[in-house]
Amino acid sequence: MDIDLTRTFLEIVRSGSFIAAAERLHVTQTAVTARIQKLEGHLNCTLFVRNRAGAKLTADGEAFVAYANQILQTWEAAQRDLPLPDGYHNVIHVGGEVSLCNPLMLRWVSRIRARIDHYAVHTHIGDGQELLRQLELGVLDAALVYQPNYWPGMQVEQLLEEKLILVRAKNPEPYVYVDWGEAVRLQHDSALPDRAKAPVTLNLGPLALQYHLAHG
Amino acid sequence: MDIDLTRTFLEIVRSGSFIAAAERLHVTQTAVTARIQKLEGHLNCTLFVRNRAGAKLTADGEAFVAYANQILQTWEAAQRDLPLPDGYHNVIHVGGEVSLCNPLMLRWVSRIRARIDHYAVHTHIGDGQELLRQLELGVLDAALVYQPNYWPGMQVEQLLEEKLILVRAKNPEPYVYVDWGEAVRLQHDSALPDRAKAPVTLNLGPLALQYHLAHG
DNA sequence: TAAAATTACGGAGTCCGTAAGAATG
DNA sequence: CATTCTTACGGACTCCGTAATTTTA
């Protein structure tokens, strides 16, 4: 699936007709028709009701708008943010399950920041399975979960008898980074992520708020 | 940009080499090389350090993992969720700025639910500009913002003297819907969105929590 | 020198634009 | 009957696989 299809889709939603979208996208209207037909084929549903008046979203189409926006914005954010500017390379990414955030996660983050003073910490809240997957993928450097997974290069520690488990990716060189922009953001109470960085810091907000309250 | 490129990228991250990824994806290794070169061209940076040992992520590559996951998961969620099953078509989508959530937004949602009893309400928190854009796109049916925009088909009301503005898309038929799945979810305190629906209900969680606390 | 990635090149498939056709208010 | 979308078709481009080449631990 080409992301141009979602761009085309959203342009039709905005402009209200295939022809208007075609003009804005600098392609012919037949190309727009083909793209939407392809998209509808992929999703196995009809996205627009076509008639003389133009193109109007179906219920499925309305539902897809959110997905399309998310995909397109994420891709454009990636293009905007990469390559990483100098000095933005150094962040340690930690994750944790919701119920472990308070107070365990907060204390953990505090201690990380206290121990390795010059480096920023990104936190990510999610369910255990997602966290382990991201740990495996290298998105996270460490995570706080209930049920650990074991695989090569993974170091697991039991923290409490209550089966709280700290899982940490074993890194040859420690993955400690600096990211002043994020560090500053962490210390403010903006409960919503910067749109440009949405995919990265999406669910940092609530925790940042608590962190702020806890640490002034 | 084809989403297959992100799928290929993530597969290399998982398996550690182009060859292993090629096997898993049932394509040749040259195809994988070409795809990554194309992706690197789009992002204007190098994603992997290639050597005899395989492929290792660069700092830029590590950063892109999060974007790639977001894009891929959103697309797969769209494929999974569309077409909408019967009975899932009817939701009213409202948005609001963070600082207006409590108590204005909560009261609003309560009154909507009281007034049109049989229908579910989806809430979405974001900044004013984003909300207005989504209103324009049809993702939202109404939004609570500070600074309104005016355009055809838009109905704006001032709620308080303090410049709180309710902007509402004028709908021929009112967009009132039923969605029991979401309604049930709204009444539970799961602070995290269902992964399958992540792009849609991503920042509903915190509000749902407050809603739950306010309404038992 | 052996494992891994890149380059070269030809064929299959895809995408787009032009032109003609169908629907509808 | 005019505006909008769809279908048909040919050319350009893209993507993939085979085979040969380069790189490096």
Side-chain angles (χ1 to χ4, degrees):
Chain A
M1 208 287 288
D2 198 305
I3 287 187
D4 278 343
L5 299 191
T6 71
R7 191 176 280 112
T8 305
F9 169 80
L10 290 173
E11 194 54 58
I12 296 170
V13 175
R14 277 194 205 91
S15 37
S17 81
F18 283 26
I19 287 187
E23 284 175 3
R24 288 211 189 188
L25 295 168
H26 306 292
V27 293
T28 60
Q29 173 222 34
T30 57
V32 172
T33 295
R35 288 182 187 177
I36 295 306
Q37 285 177 344
K38 184 159 207 171
L39 188 56
E40 289 177 331
H42 276 131
L43 295 172
N44 201 31
C45 64
T46 305
L47 296 171
F48 293 102
V49 176
R50 289 88 145 165
N51 54 29
R52 166 164 176 175
K56 184 175 168 296
L57 283 171
T58 62
D60 290 331
E62 286 193 25
F64 184 63
V65 172
Y67 298 87
N69 265 317
Q70 181 81 40
I71 291 171
L72 189 58
Q73 286 181 17
T74 304
W75 171 240
E76 289 182 348
Q79 286 184 302
R80 186 169 42 243
D81 299 345
L82 294 180
L84 265 43
D86 291 342
Y88 270 73
H89 285 200
N90 300 335
V91 184
I92 181 167
H93 297 260
V94 301
E97 300 194 33
V98 203
S99 48
L100 300 178
C101 285
N102 208 342
L104 213 57
M105 185 84 167
L106 289 170
R107 286 210 307 257
W108 188 25
V109 172
S110 299
R111 287 179 61 178
I112 292 174
R113 285 185 59 78
R115 191 78 69 87
I116 36 184
D117 196 15
H118 295 190
Y119 307 103
V121 178
H122 279 201
T123 54
H124 180 87
I125 309 304
D127 68 272
Q129 202 176 357
E130 179 197 358
L131 292 172
L132 290 174
R133 182 160 166 250
Q134 296 186 328
L135 210 52
E136 185 183 11
L137 287 171
V139 192
L140 293 179
D141 301 308
L144 203 55
V145 299
Y146 285 104
Q147 298 248 338
N149 251 1
Y150 299 89
W151 69 81
M154 187 60 59
Q155 168 189 343
V156 180
E157 296 172 25
Q158 183 161 356
L159 292 183
L160 300 180
E161 292 173 5
E162 216 188 317
K163 291 201 182 62
L164 307 179
I165 307 284
L166 173 66
V167 183
R168 182 179 303 166
K170 218 181 271 175
N171 296 316
E173 345 102 59
Y175 274 46
V176 280
Y177 300 128
V178 181
D179 175 0
W180 291 111
E182 283 299 324
V184 167
R185 196 175 302 156
L186 195 68
Q187 286 162 7
H188 286 68
D189 64 352
S190 74
L192 274 194
D194 179 7
R195 236 168 106 206
K197 298 270 185 180
V200 185
T201 61
L202 214 47
N203 53 11
L204 173 65
L207 192 68
L209 203 62
Q210 287 191 16
Y211 184 90
H212 184 61
L213 291 174
H215 293 73
Chain B
M1 207 288 288
D2 199 305
I3 287 187
D4 279 343
L5 299 190
T6 71
R7 192 176 278 112
T8 305
F9 169 80
L10 290 173
E11 194 54 58
I12 296 170
V13 175
R14 277 194 206 92
S15 38
S17 81
F18 284 28
I19 287 186
E23 285 175 3
R24 288 211 189 189
L25 295 169
H26 306 292
V27 292
T28 61
Q29 174 221 30
T30 58
V32 172
T33 295
R35 288 182 187 176
I36 295 306
Q37 284 177 343
K38 184 159 208 172
L39 187 56
E40 289 177 331
H42 275 131
L43 295 172
N44 201 32
C45 66
T46 304
L47 296 171
F48 293 102
V49 178
R50 289 88 145 164
N51 55 29
R52 168 168 173 168
K56 185 175 168 295
L57 282 171
T58 63
D60 289 332
E62 287 192 24
F64 184 63
V65 173
Y67 297 88
N69 265 317
Q70 182 82 38
I71 292 170
L72 189 58
Q73 285 180 19
T74 305
W75 171 240
E76 290 183 346
Q79 287 184 302
R80 186 168 41 241
D81 299 345
L82 295 179
L84 264 44
D86 290 343
Y88 271 73
H89 285 197
N90 300 336
V91 184
I92 181 167
H93 298 260
V94 302
E97 301 194 31
V98 202
S99 49
L100 299 179
C101 285
N102 207 341
L104 212 58
M105 185 84 166
L106 290 171
R107 285 210 308 259
W108 188 25
V109 172
S110 300
R111 287 179 61 178
I112 291 174
R113 284 186 58 78
R115 192 78 71 87
I116 35 185
D117 196 17
H118 294 191
Y119 308 103
V121 179
H122 279 202
T123 53
H124 181 89
I125 308 305
D127 67 273
Q129 201 175 358
E130 180 197 358
L131 292 173
L132 290 174
R133 181 161 166 251
Q134 295 185 329
L135 211 52
E136 186 182 9
L137 287 172
V139 193
L140 293 179
D141 301 308
L144 202 56
V145 299
Y146 285 103
Q147 298 248 339
N149 251 2
Y150 300 87
W151 68 83
M154 188 59 60
Q155 167 189 343
V156 179
E157 297 173 24
Q158 182 160 357
L159 292 183
L160 300 179
E161 292 175 4
E162 214 188 317
K163 290 199 182 64
L164 307 180
I165 307 282
L166 173 67
V167 182
R168 182 179 303 166
K170 218 180 272 178
N171 296 316
E173 346 103 57
Y175 274 45
V176 280
Y177 299 126
V178 181
D179 175 0
W180 291 111
E182 283 299 325
V184 166
R185 195 175 303 157
L186 196 68
Q187 285 161 8
H188 285 68
D189 63 352
S190 73
L192 273 194
D194 180 5
R195 235 168 108 205
K197 298 270 185 179
V200 183
T201 61
L202 215 47
N203 54 12
L204 171 66
L207 193 68
L209 203 62
Q210 287 191 17
Y211 185 88
H212 185 62
L213 292 173
H215 293 75

